[in-house]
Amino acid sequence: MKEIDKIDMFNWFRISKKTKAKLINFYLPLWGANIKISDCNEDLNWFQVQLTLNRWNKNIMGTHFGGSLYAMCDPFYMWILMENLGKDFIVWDKAATIRFKKPGTGTVTAEFEISKKEIEKIRLEVIEKGKNDYHFSTIVTNEKGQVVAEVDKTVYVRFNGSKSHSQRT
């Protein structure tokens, strides 16, 4: 292994979680739809995501393609829980609904957040019950702050570890 490779690998571990999270902007399904994480916090329990209209994500009416509007909302609640609950929990998207309220043009934005308090409540409930479904909602807004779409997500969480190992002190 070259010396430069050792340095690069070592520096990877010094990159903040927030910086690593923004690397998802290069994930092809999101990148191809022009979806970008514009901001997130270091705990990865809050994300701001934007979708800019271009010729690749425009529908026949010249507005945002509905699939792109949904794609910008798809992974984030599941990702927040996966990051914050850890490896002793299995987290899957279970269901979703999107209600289109207004044609989307320009840049649209959505925010996703699960508070640390809510994450801890989920952790304790799932350890006790073994599994549970959780419901989250967000809105997609345009540059004027008008609602373009409302999105509801159901996320399934199952405990898959040792109770003593998963409880935080």
Side-chain angles (χ1 to χ4, degrees):
M1 183 183 290
K2 297 178 193 173
E3 192 63 34
I4 190 75
D5 292 335
K6 290 179 187 174
I7 293 170
D8 289 344
M9 285 176 24
F10 181 72
N11 287 337
W12 172 257
F13 295 104
R14 291 185 176 189
I15 296 172
S16 72
K17 285 172 75 174
K18 181 176 178 176
T19 301
K20 288 177 187 176
K22 286 194 175 186
L23 291 174
I24 198 171
N25 288 337
F26 298 103
Y27 179 54
L28 286 177
L30 299 181
W31 181 81
N34 210 26
I35 298 164
K36 292 183 177 51
I37 295 174
S38 54
D39 202 4
C40 62
N41 65 3
E42 190 64 37
D43 293 330
L44 300 184
N45 70 320
W46 173 81
F47 287 89
Q48 182 182 66
V49 180
Q50 293 186 318
L51 169 62
T52 304
L53 186 65
N54 67 21
R55 66 182 180 171
W56 302 110
N57 60 20
K58 200 182 279 192
N59 65 21
I60 196 167
M61 302 302 290
T63 61
H64 280 289
F65 172 61
S68 296
L69 287 168
Y70 174 73
M72 78 179 284
C73 301
D74 183 34
F76 293 98
Y77 287 119
M78 183 178 84
W79 188 12
I80 289 169
L81 289 174
M82 287 172 61
E83 278 294 324
N84 286 276
L85 292 175
K87 295 179 191 247
D88 286 337
F89 295 83
I90 294 171
V91 182
W92 280 96
D93 278 326
K94 188 170 184 178
T97 359
I98 185 166
R99 290 174 302 284
F100 301 105
K101 298 295 189 176
K102 182 179 188 74
T105 58
T107 300
V108 294
T109 304
E111 292 187 15
F112 309 90
E113 180 174 23
I114 306 174
S115 71
K116 287 300 211 178
K117 184 177 178 180
E118 181 69 13
I119 292 167
E120 196 54 31
K121 180 181 169 198
I122 290 168
R123 173 190 310 285
L124 296 174
E125 282 179 5
V126 173
I127 287 173
E128 182 182 321
K129 295 178 182 179
K131 62 183 177 179
N132 207 3
D133 292 342
Y134 295 92
H135 305 280
F136 304 99
S137 297
T138 195
I139 58 171
V140 179
T141 58
N142 63 19
E143 294 160 318
K144 295 178 183 175
Q146 300 166 320
V147 176
V148 171
E150 299 170 342
V151 178
D152 297 319
K153 299 280 298 195
T154 301
V155 181
Y156 166 84
V157 182
R158 186 176 87 206
F159 182 61
N160 200 36
S162 144
K163 287 188 181 186
S164 62
H165 183 260
S166 292
Q167 291 177 334
R168 294 190 172 182
T169 54

